[in-house]
Amino acid sequence: SYEKAIKLAKDESNEIKNLKLEKDSNTIKIDDALDNFGYNLYDPQVLALMKLQKNDNLNSEKTERTEKYITEALSFKVKSIFTNINLMENDIELKKLQLDNSIKKRNIISLKLEYGMESQTNLTAKDIEIKQARKDLEALEKELEEQYIELNKLLGFDSFARYDIEKLNFNYSPINDTQEDIDFKVTRAISSDINIWGKEQQLDIQRIDVDFYALNYISGLPSNKQANPTPYKALDLDSKITSNEIEQAKEDLRKSVIDKYNSIKKLEIAYENTNLKLKELEEKKRILEVAIQAGTAINQDYNDLLLGINEVNNGIDKIKSQHALLVEMYNNPLLVGGNIN
């Protein structure tokens, strides 16, 4: 089941296992360093102490934020792979039906050719079509294999393990966010983003370097005896670079939120258009059923139409799935900056 797969993926994740180990290791290092430091304002250890105290405060929060992000990302990854497998299995089933239908048509053409009612050109064209369909089927089966291998890696299974997975059903629900709603999601995503948070903490530590240097300089300590040998201007520029990187990361995240909203709206248009096409085909099906009963249409035309309806329904399932995954990412501040794999 999907829930069981998520639990297995979390239990198997080395990233989650290493988080606690890294946290404990950092705590030991910080505690050890805090046991011995200088008291002179100009002592380089004072600067180191200030950084250590900052890192000590951040250690637990970093672990908590990172674990939450990894857990959310893993859950979504499993759902994405489950969805890919479900859709690929549908594609393979549809492709097999289409191939069988093409073979039946090919046999009819071959029979007609014997009586001079068809051309060799049409038979050759149908053979090429069947050959290509078989290649497409092989490609789909290969893609399905790759999805299982990726899922097995996440769950800690043997690469060649095969099993039935839960079929995920998605409800289609359009969204109609206002600009205010989108801006709120941008703000929430920025405050939740672990990379931006990490850059902000880096900037705070860089500013400690800058402030400490300035304080010592004002107190009369020459630059060649500073605790940090890096020139003041370089320290100041480094902090400005980090600040610019933060602003760029925020802008990139804002763009990601807006792009996802626009992609969702495009899918909703595609969903409506595809449903209109389905209604059109359903009406043709009704008319053709009447024609077959009256003897004015043949079963092959009906079979072709049924395959067309299956193909459209398959397309609707894909749109619904992609829409649901995008909406989940869009509404989750930890995932909105990522992509569907």
Side-chain angles (χ1 to χ4, degrees):
S1 70
Y2 169 61
E3 294 298 331
K4 183 179 179 181
I6 290 176
K7 184 179 184 306
L8 286 170
K10 290 177 184 176
D11 292 342
E12 187 65 21
S13 173
N14 285 323
E15 284 185 282
I16 293 178
K17 292 175 185 176
N18 287 340
L19 275 177
K20 186 177 185 305
L21 296 177
E22 290 174 0
K23 176 179 179 294
D24 292 344
S25 174
N26 288 335
T27 299
I28 292 170
K29 292 173 184 175
I30 291 171
D31 288 344
D32 182 65
L34 289 175
D35 286 340
N36 185 23
F37 60 88
Y39 294 93
N40 189 319
L41 176 64
Y42 311 132
D43 193 325
Q45 290 189 36
V46 174
L47 176 59
L49 171 64
M50 295 171 72
K51 291 182 180 179
L52 283 170
Q53 288 174 328
K54 174 71 175 175
N55 283 320
D56 189 29
N57 294 332
L58 296 176
N59 198 21
S60 295
E61 185 176 357
K62 178 183 177 182
T63 300
E64 182 180 341
R65 282 175 173 265
T66 305
E67 183 173 0
K68 187 175 181 181
Y69 168 75
I70 292 173
T71 300
E72 291 283 340
L74 269 178
S75 297
F76 187 81
K77 181 69 174 177
V78 171
K79 179 180 286 189
S80 180
I81 295 177
F82 263 53
T83 303
N84 289 342
I85 290 175
N86 291 158
L87 293 175
M88 285 178 186
E89 287 175 341
N90 291 342
D91 283 344
I92 288 172
E93 186 60 32
L94 177 61
K95 183 60 69 174
K96 286 179 178 177
L97 291 174
Q98 291 171 335
L99 179 58
D100 288 343
N101 191 51
S102 293
I103 291 173
K104 288 177 183 176
K105 286 184 175 181
R106 192 265 178 206
N107 292 339
I108 292 172
I109 293 173
S110 178
L111 183 61
K112 287 183 176 181
L113 182 61
E114 292 181 14
Y115 293 93
M117 300 169 63
E118 264 291 0
S119 69
Q120 181 63 46
T121 300
N122 287 342
L123 182 62
T124 301
K126 184 59 66 175
D127 284 337
I128 294 172
E129 178 186 310
I130 291 171
K131 184 178 180 180
Q132 183 60 52
R134 287 195 170 108
K135 287 182 178 179
D136 293 342
L137 182 59
E138 289 176 5
L140 284 172
E141 290 171 341
K142 179 64 176 175
E143 289 176 14
L144 180 61
E145 286 289 306
E146 291 171 353
Q147 288 296 313
Y148 265 108
I149 290 171
E150 189 171 2
L151 181 60
N152 289 336
K153 183 179 179 181
L154 281 177
L155 306 186
F157 292 170
D158 182 89
S159 294
F160 300 101
R162 294 295 175 267
Y163 40 85
D164 293 329
I165 66 168
E166 178 183 352
K167 183 171 178 57
L168 302 181
N169 294 311
F170 296 101
N171 294 321
Y172 174 76
S173 180
I175 63 171
N176 290 293
D177 279 6
T178 63
Q179 185 61 50
E180 185 178 347
D181 294 327
I182 296 172
D183 289 341
F184 169 74
K185 286 183 169 67
V186 169
T187 302
R188 187 179 60 175
I190 288 173
S191 65
S192 303
D193 188 84
I194 189 169
N195 293 320
I196 291 176
W197 178 83
K199 283 286 185 183
E200 288 173 339
Q201 309 319 307
Q202 177 186 337
L203 180 59
D204 286 347
I205 291 173
Q206 286 176 325
R207 283 174 175 163
I208 290 175
D209 280 328
V210 174
D211 294 343
F212 191 80
Y213 194 111
L215 179 62
N216 278 338
Y217 187 80
I218 292 170
S219 301
L221 190 69
S223 60
N224 62 344
K225 294 185 179 179
Q226 284 280 353
N228 191 330
T230 306
Y232 174 84
K233 189 169 183 61
L235 292 173
D236 189 43
L237 289 174
D238 287 344
S239 68
K240 288 178 180 177
I241 290 171
T242 302
S243 180
N244 290 338
E245 289 174 346
I246 291 171
E247 291 308 309
Q248 184 60 55
K250 289 179 179 180
E251 183 57 34
D252 290 345
L253 193 52
R254 171 182 289 277
K255 184 177 183 300
S256 181
V257 173
I258 295 172
D259 285 350
K260 282 185 176 57
Y261 180 77
N262 290 336
S263 295
I264 289 168
K265 300 310 291 182
K266 288 177 183 178
L267 283 173
E268 289 173 0
I269 293 172
Y271 180 81
E272 296 301 324
N273 290 339
T274 309
N275 268 285
L276 287 175
K277 184 176 181 181
L278 179 62
K279 289 179 181 179
E280 180 184 334
L281 290 177
E282 291 286 0
E283 178 61 19
K284 287 183 178 179
K285 175 173 171 283
R286 186 188 67 78
I287 295 172
L288 194 56
E289 286 172 343
V290 173
I292 288 175
Q293 289 178 354
T296 57
I298 59 175
N299 287 332
Q300 184 58 56
D301 291 337
Y302 188 70
N303 291 336
D304 290 344
L305 186 58
L306 288 181
L307 276 176
I309 291 173
N310 285 343
E311 187 172 358
V312 172
N313 275 320
N314 199 43
I316 290 174
D317 285 342
K318 288 181 180 180
I319 293 172
K320 285 172 62 177
S321 299
Q322 190 173 7
H323 181 271
L325 291 175
L326 268 175
V327 169
E328 182 173 342
M329 293 183 76
Y330 173 70
N331 287 326
N332 189 323
L334 294 178
L335 299 178
V336 72
N339 297 304
I340 298 178
N341 294 326

